[in-house]
Amino acid sequence: MSYPANLRYTKDHEWISLEGDIATIGITEFAQRELGDIVYVEVETIGKALVAGAVFGTVEAVKTVSDLFLPVAGSIQELNPELANQPELVNSDPYGEGWMVKMKVDNPADVDALLDAAGYEAVVG
Amino acid sequence: MKKTPFTEKHIAFGAKMAEFAGYNMPISYSGINDEHAAVRKNAGVFDVSHMGEFILKGENALDLIQRVTTNDASKLKAGQAQYSSLPNNNGGLVDDLLVYCIEENKVYMLVVNASNIEKDWNWISQHNSKNVEMHNVSEKTGLLAIQGPNATSILQPLTEIDIMNMKYYTFAKGRFAGVDNVLISATGYTGAGGVEIYFEDKDDCAEKIWNAIFEVGAAQGIKPVGLGARDTLRLEMGYCLYGNDIDDGTSPIEAGLSWITKFTKDFPSKELFAEQKAKGVEKKLVGFEMIDKGIPRHGYEIKDHQGATIGVVTSGTQSPSLGKAIGLGYVSTAFAAIDSDIYIKVRDKLLQAKVSKIPFV
């Protein structure tokens, strides 16, 4: 499984990529594999100020449902519009077209404090 | 964790594995949707060796089966099987099962859910007042289900038994893939057609059977399928899963299993079920599909349009064949008619759904 070196990761199996104070967030290769076929991504927290670790949405797979946790404090600006019709993009391209949300990060330095690829790989074994 | 004869095969295939009923079982291989489609459109192979098998022998075997099950096993001739249930004394179900008549009035095989093997064995033993010879052969019995519209044509070269023309819920014993004494039955839990293959797990029988199936099936796209797709396939058919849709507290009349409840003989809770059948039940198991976007799951509450609780979801998933979310659940009888407006409480929201006919596909 791949964990790109240019991303940061959380123990909750999300990845985050920062440009300025805007971050893109998705779930990792490991997470999509564990969940199996993803059928619905629900995010109803757009525009709300959220703390790090807050549940910002849920991801429904055929077999199971899982909460999505915000890696750092900030507010969600956008849900990937492609996921409405093609939730399977999360499975096929978790770090690319299967991104989930874009958020405005309160403090960009928070992102640096997250796990790097090697650190995350150690978490998932 | 216990292993089936095929556990190493699943791991070698790269399956996602998980514990189920004490066994290390494959949940999925290529993905639930892909495996599901393979079974609906072509053929897939399920390892269900974790299921339990009991052999009941002797002149009182049929009498014992009749006394513990709801369906009428006296109708079975050798080579026929039937779906049935084991009621408890409190109006619920110990298990659901298949009854195979191997020799009329003499030898029967009961196939039970893996998670209930011990409970069923104890329950039936407790009713065995006439010294029926009982054997629990679960641990040494291998079982593969090869399901799908092309399953029998793919497997036909491996056996002299005419499996392509085998009638639903009949079976035969014979040679399969060079292994003798294999029981092949035209049964399954998918609604897609196909067979189930029971054999004694000795020597290299399991290896021979598995390899032969994938050798003849490879060119025709046969795929290994995990328990994940087994669940979505059975749910599209509206088949009950013990532990989800039926359990120690649900009656077969409520669960839509009146068709396997025959009041022409005695069994535990018969009077109660007969009364339910005559007077009607307060709740019924129904199929429903989601109108609002969301996936129903086991345990979610079912509400009416005013938010009053009217039932509970027992199974739910996104249907891979239909591309929409479906479920089974018990609702107050007033809401059991097709097209009834119901609402599923998904997290903190009430999502609209409607009662629909089953099977869904």
Side-chain angles (χ1 to χ4, degrees):
Chain A
M1 274 183 274
S2 78
Y3 306 107
N6 59 330
L7 305 176
R8 292 282 164 161
Y9 301 87
T10 72
K11 285 179 181 164
D12 299 313
H13 312 291
E14 274 108 15
W15 58 263
I16 181 167
S17 151
L18 190 65
E19 272 184 53
D21 62 351
I22 301 297
T24 306
I25 291 162
I27 64 169
T28 65
E29 173 91 32
F30 174 85
Q32 71 80 14
R33 199 182 134 83
E34 284 300 302
L35 288 165
D37 291 326
I38 287 160
V39 294
Y40 184 37
V41 179
E42 183 183 81
V43 174
E44 293 185 326
T45 49
I46 291 172
K48 283 186 191 163
L50 297 171
V51 298
V55 173
F56 71 88
T58 48
V59 54
E60 299 262 13
V62 173
K63 208 53 198 155
T64 186
V65 56
S66 182
D67 284 331
L68 295 166
F69 300 95
L70 209 63
V72 294
S75 57
I76 294 174
Q77 298 190 314
E78 182 188 6
L79 167 66
N80 181 352
E82 298 299 321
L83 298 186
N85 293 318
Q86 291 178 273
E88 64 274 15
L89 288 172
V90 179
N91 293 114
S92 59
D93 191 8
Y95 303 117
E97 288 183 50
W99 64 272
M100 287 186 169
V101 294
K102 288 193 189 296
M103 71 175 289
K104 187 169 188 302
V105 174
D106 287 351
N107 178 9
D110 290 348
V111 176
D112 290 332
L114 298 172
L115 297 167
D116 61 11
Y120 178 66
E121 222 167 333
V123 169
V124 298
Chain B
M1 243 189 309
K2 287 193 266 190
K3 287 180 178 180
T4 78
F6 305 106
T7 299
E8 304 303 332
K9 295 278 186 198
H10 307 315
I11 294 168
F13 256 96
K16 192 200 298 183
M17 305 292 290
E19 189 267 340
F20 182 81
Y23 285 84
N24 191 16
M25 298 298 290
I27 301 304
S28 69
Y29 298 80
S30 54
I32 292 176
N33 286 335
D34 185 60
E35 294 161 36
H36 182 108
V39 174
R40 280 275 177 263
K41 292 172 189 160
N42 184 28
V45 181
F46 304 77
D47 173 13
V48 279
S49 303
H50 61 310
M51 301 284 287
E53 294 84 11
F54 305 153
I55 304 292
L56 273 58
K57 279 185 186 172
E59 56 179 354
N60 292 313
L62 176 61
D63 168 77
L64 175 58
I65 292 167
Q66 288 291 73
R67 285 187 292 113
V68 295
T69 62
T70 54
N71 207 341
D72 186 356
S74 72
K75 303 273 193 221
L76 292 174
K77 305 210 178 319
Q80 295 180 335
Q82 75 180 185
Y83 179 55
S84 191
S85 73
L86 288 177
N88 62 27
N89 289 323
N90 312 315
L93 294 175
V94 179
D95 204 359
D96 63 341
L97 76 166
L98 292 184
V99 179
Y100 284 77
C101 176
I102 296 182
E103 250 187 275
E104 225 169 305
N105 285 313
K106 276 191 191 146
V107 186
Y108 293 83
M109 176 170 74
L110 308 183
V111 182
V112 305
N113 283 298
S115 47
N116 292 335
I117 292 173
E118 199 184 336
K119 182 176 72 161
D120 293 359
W121 178 262
N122 292 340
W123 178 255
I124 298 167
S125 299
Q126 204 180 307
H127 289 79
N128 186 10
S129 50
K130 296 178 191 166
N131 292 317
V132 172
E133 194 183 322
M134 289 174 57
H135 300 276
N136 180 355
V137 296
S138 306
E139 297 276 322
K140 60 175 183 179
T141 304
L143 172 55
L144 292 177
I146 300 93
Q147 301 277 295
N150 299 329
T152 55
S153 62
I154 291 171
L155 298 186
Q156 189 61 75
L158 296 176
T159 183
E160 285 170 4
I161 298 170
D162 182 6
I163 55 174
M164 290 186 71
N165 294 303
M166 193 178 259
K167 287 205 177 76
Y168 197 45
Y169 273 80
T170 67
F171 66 94
K173 271 191 178 186
R175 199 171 162 83
F176 181 88
V179 175
D180 285 319
N181 207 28
V182 173
L183 189 157
I184 307 180
S185 78
T187 50
Y189 194 45
T190 63
V195 290
E196 294 183 293
I197 296 180
Y198 298 82
F199 59 93
E200 189 180 343
D201 176 30
K202 58 173 186 188
D203 307 326
D204 58 348
C205 292
E207 178 84 15
K208 269 167 130 173
I209 288 173
W210 179 275
N211 290 347
I213 290 170
F214 283 94
E215 270 160 33
V216 297
Q220 294 171 81
I222 205 166
K223 285 189 176 180
V225 184
L227 294 181
R230 187 169 166 81
D231 193 48
T232 54
L233 287 156
R234 71 93 193 167
L235 190 44
E236 286 183 351
M237 296 307 294
Y239 296 156
C240 290
L241 172 62
Y242 193 89
N244 273 39
D245 312 300
I246 49 176
D247 57 35
D248 294 295
T250 59
S251 118
I253 311 303
E254 294 166 345
L257 299 177
S258 291
W259 64 281
I260 59 162
T261 310
K262 304 289 165 61
F263 297 107
T264 49
K265 52 165 206 155
D266 285 331
F267 49 80
S269 297
K270 178 189 172 183
E271 307 307 326
L272 190 65
F273 298 155
E275 193 184 326
Q276 289 176 341
K277 180 139 193 194
K279 291 187 179 164
V281 285
E282 287 176 12
K283 60 174 183 176
K284 280 186 180 169
L285 187 68
V286 298
F288 63 87
E289 59 178 72
M290 298 302 297
I291 294 170
D292 287 334
K293 200 151 173 129
I295 316 287
R297 306 282 181 190
H298 179 82
Y300 286 7
E301 286 179 296
I302 304 178
K303 307 270 194 182
D304 67 10
H305 70 285
Q306 291 174 317
T309 301
I310 54 162
V312 64
V313 174
T314 54
S315 289
T317 192
Q318 176 81 357
S319 158
S321 301
L322 302 172
K324 60 186 175 192
I326 59 170
L328 294 176
Y330 286 95
V331 295
S332 303
T333 306
F335 294 87
I338 305 294
D339 288 335
S340 296
D341 215 16
I342 59 172
Y343 295 80
I344 312 298
K345 191 177 177 207
V346 179
R347 292 175 284 281
D348 54 353
K349 283 186 301 184
L350 287 187
L351 302 182
Q352 196 179 2
K354 67 168 184 180
V355 174
S356 49
K357 65 165 181 56
I358 43 178
F360 292 98
V361 294

